[in-house]
DNA sequence: GTCTGTGAACTGATTCACAGCG
DNA sequence: CGCTGTGAATCAGTTCACAGAC
């Protein structure tokens, strides 16, 4: 009786529990998987099938999805098209997001023209820089480069909701604050430093050198045990010769 | 008596325990912190001081370091210069790494010329592409672009130990295998797809769209409670109008 | 006294295993 | 049957709290 109503509601209702960061990260991954499946003409899938594609446990996928509602059909699995739309909606991608890139250097311009963004509902509508040589120009794909001073005006005019920071470390915190002042609540930071944000705003950092260092660590562990390394690794923390700087 | 010898040895010996991935990631962060401290002329620091700089617990820093040895002095703290060198060594950065970038598009070229790498001991010595228009040219900073066909030869000749993949998704798995075949055991992948590797090789992926989606998720949660959003978010997984097919 | 190094307690995420629905 | 959704069990990572070195 009442149960029917209740179930119907729960189907789309998010739980109030706190949702782990890892879960939300995986949601994007599931979405990619579903997109691939849809392209291949697959209409239905199951947590097992999806789990095999990446290196995941099927229970984890079910649990991740269960945080947000009941999207599957017992005994059947998930309808690719439906689940895809649900995930898209959960991630807030339905409407699309306008993005700006601050820093019109090599990396900034590459990100401005990055082809992967439009596919996933992100449109870079503006780049900013403070160098007179760059202001007034535009990226290869035609995105205009504005004066950083006008950030706040353009952000409001264009309805920009996300910012990407691609300026040198020294300038990053200042740019971060300008973005926050302009009302941008979500920032992706490529400057190799920790930015201090504000409550109600999210800052994600991608530090390219740290990523490489993780790989470097792997290499030095890898070869320190037995197998013959290509080059001298470091067999085990030697008191290294003092070749500083 | 024997204890003295024992302590001396343990001081530099890594434990055999499995070291959490998160620990190694943080090692890089500590290293950055130490570099900053050294630049400021600070000679000694403590886990508390460092913990304040980022948002970490001091015990975590001590525990992370303890996986690799005993680098501190009780009652005193850590000697910046020494700890920095130790971390550098643990991460395998002492000797430096030669890196190649595959894919000479916007992103590939931006990564090839990225200024942050040299500072941290990584040198991009070669870029590769398969497009005749790009082969034979070089990046703005003068790194040559070779034919992808010659990958293996150049890798061996230059002693390249790491590869960065910046090609479109379709080509990424192929490039990945070529790198592995050439003996590159550490790969940083920017193509938005999961690459299958091989035992003994490490592949780290950075998916720019997934990062933005995480921010998008934050924005849509953020505004779904109360505070007035700038734009229509999605208040709570609505039974989206069934515009199917 | 200070601050490290570390076992013990805790917190949170993953996996198991199974009840329940189609 | 098969496959989801989920409590219970497990596992991993973090924090606490204190003994021990200086």
């Amino acid at each position: 009786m009442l149960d029917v109503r209740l179930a119907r509601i729960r189907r789309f209702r998010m739980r109030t529990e706190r949702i782990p960061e890892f879960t939300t990260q995986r949601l994007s991954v599931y979405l990619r998987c579903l997109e691939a499946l849809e392209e291949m003409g697959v209409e239905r899938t199951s947590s097992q099938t999806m789990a095999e594609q990446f290196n995941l446990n099927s229970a984890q996928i079910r649990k991740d999805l269960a945080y947000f509602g009941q999207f599957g059909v017992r005994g059947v699995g998930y309808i690719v098209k439906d689940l895809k739309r649900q995930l898209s909606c959960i991630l807030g991608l339905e409407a699309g997001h306008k993005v700006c890139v601050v820093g019109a250097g090599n990396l900034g311009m590459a990100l401005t023209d990055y082809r992967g963004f439009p596919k996933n509902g992100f449109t870079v509508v503006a780049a900013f820089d403070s160098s007179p040589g760059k202001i007034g120009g535009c990226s290869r794909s035609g995105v205009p480069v504005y004066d950083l001073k006008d950030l706040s005006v353009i952000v409001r005019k264009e309805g920009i909701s996300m910012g990407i920071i691609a300026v040198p470390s020294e300038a990053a915190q200042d740019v971060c604050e300008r973005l926050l002042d302009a009302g941008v609540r979500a920032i992706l930071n490529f400057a190799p430093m920790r930015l201090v944000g504000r409550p109600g705003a999210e800052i994600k950092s991608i530090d390219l050198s740290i990523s490489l260092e993780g790989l470097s660590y792997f290499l030095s562990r890898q070869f320190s045990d037995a197998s013959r390394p290509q080059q001298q690794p470091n067999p085990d923390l030697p008191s290294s010769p003092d070749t500083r700087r």
Side-chain angles (χ1 to χ4, degrees), chain A residues 30-45 53 79-82 84 119-120:
Chain A
Y30 303 154
L31 184 56
R32 289 286 179 293
C33 179
L34 291 164
E35 276 159 2
L37 287 171
E38 196 179 45
E39 221 155 274
M40 287 156 55
V42 179
E43 295 194 349
R44 286 191 335 216
T45 188
Q53 303 238 5
I79 308 299
V80 172
K81 212 157 103 66
D82 292 355
K84 189 183 138 233
K119 264 196 285 257
N120 296 293

Side-chain angles (χ1 to χ4, degrees), chain A residues 132-198:
Chain A
K134 284 167 184 161
I135 296 164
C138 58
S139 79
R140 262 161 274 198
S141 72
V143 178
V145 179
Y146 298 103
D147 191 331
L148 179 55
K149 288 203 184 69
D150 301 328
L151 181 71
S152 168
V153 179
I154 308 282
V155 162
R156 267 176 261 267
K157 197 162 72 182
E158 296 277 1
I160 289 167
S161 55
M162 296 182 170
I164 299 179
I165 297 180
V167 299
S169 301
E170 311 84 68
Q173 183 62 48
D174 174 59
V175 165
C176 174
E177 273 150 34
R178 281 163 185 259
L179 282 167
L180 294 170
D181 287 343
V184 176
R185 311 285 241 287
I187 295 173
L188 187 61
N189 170 45
F190 283 86
M193 71 172 304
R194 209 183 104 77
L195 296 179
V196 305
R198 290 178 202 166

Side-chain angles (χ1 to χ4, degrees), chain A residues 34-239:
Chain A
L34 291 164
E35 276 159 2
L37 287 171
E38 196 179 45
E39 221 155 274
M40 287 156 55
V42 179
E43 295 194 349
R44 286 191 335 216
T45 188
S46 69
S47 56
Q48 273 102 131
T49 316
M50 291 179 74
E52 280 157 27
Q53 303 238 5
F54 338 103
N55 268 10
L56 291 174
N57 179 298
S58 68
Q60 178 153 72
I61 295 179
R62 294 198 298 277
K63 193 149 263 197
D64 283 343
L65 297 175
Y67 279 112
F68 301 94
Q70 310 193 166
F71 304 121
V73 185
R74 293 182 188 211
V76 177
Y78 302 93
I79 308 299
V80 172
K81 212 157 103 66
D82 292 355
L83 185 56
K84 189 183 138 233
R85 186 154 44 243
Q86 291 295 349
L87 290 185
S88 207
C89 186
I90 291 164
L91 291 169
L93 303 173
E94 294 287 76
H97 282 284
K98 294 197 180 174
V99 180
C100 70
V101 173
V102 184
N106 289 337
L107 186 59
M109 287 290 93
L111 293 170
T112 302
D113 291 339
Y114 183 61
R115 295 224 183 77
F117 292 150
K119 264 196 285 257
N120 296 293
F122 301 100
T123 319
V124 179
V125 296
F128 294 91
D129 207 295
S130 52
S131 142
K134 284 167 184 161
I135 296 164
C138 58
S139 79
R140 262 161 274 198
S141 72
V143 178
V145 179
Y146 298 103
D147 191 331
L148 179 55
K149 288 203 184 69
D150 301 328
L151 181 71
S152 168
V153 179
I154 308 282
V155 162
R156 267 176 261 267
K157 197 162 72 182
E158 296 277 1
I160 289 167
S161 55
M162 296 182 170
I164 299 179
I165 297 180
V167 299
S169 301
E170 311 84 68
Q173 183 62 48
D174 174 59
V175 165
C176 174
E177 273 150 34
R178 281 163 185 259
L179 282 167
L180 294 170
D181 287 343
V184 176
R185 311 285 241 287
I187 295 173
L188 187 61
N189 170 45
F190 283 86
M193 71 172 304
R194 209 183 104 77
L195 296 179
V196 305
R198 290 178 202 166
E202 176 90 339
I203 301 174
K204 227 180 237 242
S205 284
I206 293 179
D207 189 316
L208 301 174
S209 289
I210 287 186
S211 301
L212 283 190
E213 284 174 18
L215 292 172
S216 173
Y217 171 80
F218 169 82
L219 289 179
S220 67
R221 285 305 100 184
Q222 188 67 183
F223 300 130
S224 61
D225 318 307
S227 59
R228 189 71 202 100
Q230 305 154 289
Q231 313 170 259
Q232 187 72 330
N234 57 314
D236 188 25
L237 309 192
S239 46

Side-chain angles (χ1 to χ4, degrees), chain A residues 241-245:
Chain A
D242 208 327
T243 35
R244 65 150 69 220
R245 187 122 305 232

